[in-house]
C-alpha cells in the first residue's frame, strides 16, 4: 500500500504504516505539507461554490423565461411551473454545503498535506462541475417542460 500522511508536524510527517497487525510510525520528509497545499484546497472550495451557483443561475434564468412565456398564455399555471426554478436553486445549496465542508477541513500549512489539498480540489471540481451541468440541463428541460405544460395542461 502506498504511504499516506496521517498527520503533519513542523519537522515532517508522521506516517502510520499498517502491515498485518503491526503498526509502524515513520518520520517522512516535510514535502508532504507544503504551503501550496492549502491553495489547492481553497480552489476546490471556490470551484464547488462558483460552478454550482453558475449552474443554478442558468437553470433559474432559463426556466424563468419559460415561466414568463407560460404566464402570457395561461396565467393560472404559473405556480405549477415553479418546480424547475426550485430544482435549480437546490444546486446552489449543494455547492454551498460542499464548500463549507471543504473549508472547515482546511487547516494550517503545517498540518494540511498535499494529498488533502488535491483531494479537496478534486471534490470541489466534481461537485461544482456536476452542478453546472445539472443547471444547464434543468434550464433547458425546465423551459421546454413549462412551455409544454402551458400548451397541454395534461402534461
Amino acid at each position: 500500500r502506498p504511504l499516506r500522511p496521517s498527520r503533519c508536524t513542523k519537522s515532517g510527517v508522521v506516517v502510520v504504516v499498517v502491515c498485518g497487525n503491526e503498526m509502524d510510525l515513520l518520520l517522512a520528509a516535510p514535502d508532504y505539507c507544503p504551503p501550496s497545499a492549502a491553495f489547492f484546497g481553497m480552489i476546490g472550495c471556490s470551484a464547488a461554490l462558483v460552478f454550482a451557483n453558475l449552474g443554478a443561475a442558468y437553470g433559474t434564468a432559463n426556466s424563468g423565461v419559460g415561466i414568463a412565456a407560460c404566464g402570457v398564455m395561461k396565467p393560472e399555471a404559473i405556480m405549477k411551473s415553479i418546480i424547475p426554478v426550485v430544482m435549480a436553486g437546490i444546486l446552489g445549496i449543494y455547492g454551498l454545503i460542499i464548500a463549507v465542508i471543504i473549508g472547515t477541513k482546511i487547516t494550517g500549512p503545517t498540518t494540511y498535506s498535499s494529498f488533502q489539498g488535491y483531494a479537496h480540489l478534486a471534490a470541489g471540481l466534481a461537485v461544482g462541475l456536476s452542478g453546472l451541468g445539472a443547471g444547464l440541463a434543468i434550464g433547458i428541460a425546465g423551459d421546454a417542460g413549462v412551455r409544454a405544460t402551458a400548451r397541454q395542461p395534461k402534461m
Side-chain angles (χ1 to χ4, degrees):
R1 270 165 59 160
L3 300 178
R4 193 175 92 203
S6 57
R7 184 172 52 89
C8 298
T9 63
K10 289 188 180 189
S11 61
V13 181
V14 175
V15 180
V16 178
V17 181
V18 180
C19 297
N21 292 332
E22 296 180 18
M23 292 177 62
D24 296 325
L25 295 179
L26 299 175
L27 188 62
D31 295 335
Y32 279 116
C33 298
S36 63
F39 170 76
F40 290 110
M42 290 292 184
I43 291 295
C45 180
S46 300
L49 189 62
V50 169
F51 289 135
N53 281 300
L54 279 174
Y58 181 83
T60 301
N62 212 5
S63 296
V65 169
I67 291 172
C70 174
V72 171
M73 291 186 271
K74 292 202 175 198
E76 66 274 2
I78 288 179
M79 288 311 289
K80 190 165 95 173
S81 303
I82 206 83
I83 294 171
V85 173
V86 173
M87 288 172 59
I90 295 297
L91 296 175
I93 295 170
Y94 288 158
L96 177 66
I97 291 169
I98 296 302
V100 168
I101 290 171
I102 292 173
T104 57
K105 302 271 184 193
I106 297 174
T107 57
T110 59
T111 59
Y112 192 71
S113 67
S114 292
F115 176 82
Q116 290 171 316
Y118 294 139
H120 290 155
L121 174 64
L125 284 173
V127 170
L129 293 175
S130 297
L132 179 62
L136 293 173
I138 288 172
I140 294 168
D143 181 31
V146 164
R147 289 175 191 259
T149 304
R151 288 191 193 106
Q152 177 56 261
K154 292 181 181 178
M155 295 253 340

